[in-house]
Amino acid sequence: MASISDVVGVQQKSIGQPLKHSLKFFFTTSSEVKNFPDFVVVGLVDEVPLGYCDSISNTAEPKQDWSKKMIEDDPQHLEWYTQRCLLNQYNHKAQIYILKQQLNQTEAVHIFQRMNGCEWDDETGEVNGFVQFGYDGEDFIAFDLKTLTWIAPKPQAVITKHQRDRDRPNNEMWKHFLTQRCPELLKRYLALGKSSLLRTEFPSVSLLQKTPSSPVSCHATGFYPHRAMMFWRKDGEELHEDVEHGEILLNHDGSFQMSVDLNLSSVTPEDWRRYECVFHLSGVKDDIVTKLDKTVIRTNCGKTGILTLPVIGGVVGLLLLLAVCITGVFIWRRRDNGFRPTNSSDSSSSDPSSVKDAALN
């Protein structure tokens, strides 16, 4: 049986590969979470927030200048998203109620999530799609687009898998959305927002070190698009040991930042010249290579404030993402292309009717 990672892994493989674009929708429904909307959905084009809706406003809200212009020219598009927001909200809240009853759970904090979308290669025309559900931060069930069947990662979800496998019309609906409707929307959004979504911006790259004994961090900020890779290499060969890769974060201006740390505790000063940091931006031929040179490392040893800028930039970027979209996926993080476990187990079943409108179509 194929794994969930096999099905939804397409969303991470885009990093480092040129010419692939994505449209993704993230849903989070919660119960007993104070001071937080109990339903949030966000759409992203190439990881850039397209629009947002939650159970407080109950109205879809565009988040980019080009998406606002799109709504002005086509008000029905906004109405369509708003209707989908309301319908999914009611269905997903019912899901949590059903799962709590099935698992005999108390009125504690519970999270039900869904992520679905598509990727399109504008060179080959290849389209891939994914649908995945999670409960309390763990994988629950995912759709296999090739076989039009569902994958259950745990025995508790097998009943739901069989229910949904038998619902052929619903599975065909998912196929249509993932292979037809979603790519059509993606192409439309790329055309409308091409001045920003299809731009290329190169980063500034710095070497940072907190103390002389700390790892050296190669930090790149201000690049676009997010499809980028950064790594350390020695004598021209990529390093995998003593290296720690950070996540790609969103900056306040819509660009991205990332870092990769190198532990030099076992490296002699004479060997430093053999190391270099490489930044690769998808679709760009030439890489940015930064030699490991002690004279160019920025450090706060004996000073204050020098290393705070990248950190602040990351915090601002995270806060922006929180305000725009991460509120919709605050439990979901990339962990083998799945959901991160919390303090609750997987579900045993789910109401198949809840995905009748699940594709936002």
Side-chain angles (χ1 to χ4, degrees), residues 294-344:
K294 195 162 189 174
T295 63
V296 301
I297 294 178
R298 298 168 58 193
T299 177
N300 62 356
C301 184
K303 301 180 181 180
T304 58
I306 295 180
L307 291 186
T308 58
L309 289 177
V311 177
I312 291 176
V315 172
V316 171
L318 285 175
L319 288 176
L320 176 65
L321 201 56
L322 279 167
V324 176
C325 65
I326 283 297
T327 49
V329 291
F330 67 98
I331 291 295
W332 180 84
R333 297 288 297 242
R334 286 189 176 94
R335 192 266 304 157
D336 296 331
N337 300 324
F339 292 86
R340 171 178 293 175
T342 56
N343 59 354
S344 181

Side-chain angles (χ1 to χ4, degrees), residues 21-23 117-121 125-129 174-190:
H21 302 281
S22 64
L23 174 61
C118 59
E119 275 194 342
W120 169 63
D121 189 318
E126 179 184 4
V127 172
N128 291 298
W174 272 116
K175 177 182 177 181
H176 175 77
F177 175 77
L178 297 174
T179 62
Q180 301 294 325
R181 180 61 170 162
C182 182
E184 289 172 359
L185 288 172
L186 174 56
K187 294 173 186 178
R188 179 181 180 184
Y189 298 153
L190 288 171

Side-chain angles (χ1 to χ4, degrees), residues 46-308:
D46 286 353
E47 308 302 322
V48 175
L50 158 72
Y52 170 93
C53 184
D54 61 34
S55 54
I56 296 178
S57 65
N58 285 322
T59 301
E61 179 183 353
K63 287 298 180 181
Q64 304 297 325
D65 290 339
W66 57 266
S67 58
K68 294 176 181 177
K69 179 65 166 56
M70 175 187 67
I71 296 305
E72 292 175 359
D73 296 339
D74 185 6
Q76 290 185 347
H77 201 69
L78 177 64
E79 180 62 24
W80 178 74
Y81 270 117
T82 297
Q83 291 176 356
R84 297 306 96 189
C85 175
L86 293 172
L87 193 55
N88 279 281
Q89 178 182 161
Y90 296 136
N91 285 336
H92 287 193
K93 288 180 179 179
Q95 284 283 351
I96 290 185
Y97 177 81
I98 292 171
L99 292 176
K100 288 195 298 184
Q101 296 297 313
Q102 291 174 344
L103 298 174
N104 194 28
Q105 293 177 330
T106 61
E107 295 298 320
V109 173
H110 297 289
I111 307 293
F112 180 77
Q113 292 177 278
R114 188 183 88 214
M115 49 185 175
N116 61 261
C118 59
E119 275 194 342
W120 169 63
D121 189 318
D122 65 3
E123 184 177 68
T124 66
E126 179 184 4
V127 172
N128 291 298
F130 58 90
V131 185
Q132 183 177 1
F133 292 86
Y135 185 63
D136 282 346
E138 294 187 338
D139 295 332
F140 175 65
I141 198 167
F143 187 56
D144 188 335
L145 183 57
K146 295 180 180 178
T147 63
L148 301 189
T149 58
W150 293 84
I151 298 170
K154 294 183 178 181
Q156 294 93 326
V158 171
I159 294 177
T160 304
K161 165 187 163 53
H162 292 324
Q163 289 175 338
R164 298 194 176 188
D165 285 350
R166 289 193 297 267
D167 193 351
R168 190 72 182 184
N170 188 61
N171 297 335
E172 291 288 348
M173 178 275 295
W174 272 116
K175 177 182 177 181
H176 175 77
F177 175 77
L178 297 174
T179 62
Q180 301 294 325
R181 180 61 170 162
C182 182
E184 289 172 359
L185 288 172
L186 174 56
K187 294 173 186 178
R188 179 181 180 184
Y189 298 153
L190 288 171
L192 290 169
K194 61 183 179 181
S195 61
S196 59
L197 292 174
L198 302 182
R199 73 187 191 275
T200 298
E201 294 182 2
F202 298 95
S204 61
V205 180
S206 304
L207 298 181
L208 312 174
Q209 190 177 33
K210 293 181 179 179
T211 69
S213 61
S214 301
V216 173
S217 177
C218 186
H219 182 263
T221 185
F223 63 87
Y224 192 94
H226 76 288
R227 295 182 294 275
M229 294 188 301
M230 192 160 65
F231 54 91
W232 283 97
R233 66 187 181 193
K234 176 184 178 183
D235 297 332
E237 297 292 331
E238 182 177 352
L239 290 174
H240 299 286
E241 296 183 357
D242 297 323
V243 172
E244 182 176 353
H245 293 269
E247 296 183 5
I248 296 180
L249 303 176
L250 181 68
N251 287 325
H252 64 89
D253 61 357
S255 65
F256 296 91
Q257 65 168 289
M258 67 187 305
S259 63
V260 57
D261 295 348
L262 174 64
N263 187 340
L264 293 169
S265 59
S266 60
V267 179
T268 63
E270 293 76 16
D271 285 338
W272 277 37
R273 57 183 178 81
R274 302 169 62 186
Y275 294 81
E276 57 190 12
C277 173
V278 180
F279 175 88
H280 173 75
L281 189 62
S282 179
V284 177
K285 181 179 180 180
D286 296 326
D287 296 333
I288 298 177
V289 179
T290 305
K291 294 285 186 180
L292 180 58
D293 185 345
K294 195 162 189 174
T295 63
V296 301
I297 294 178
R298 298 168 58 193
T299 177
N300 62 356
C301 184
K303 301 180 181 180
T304 58
I306 295 180
L307 291 186
T308 58

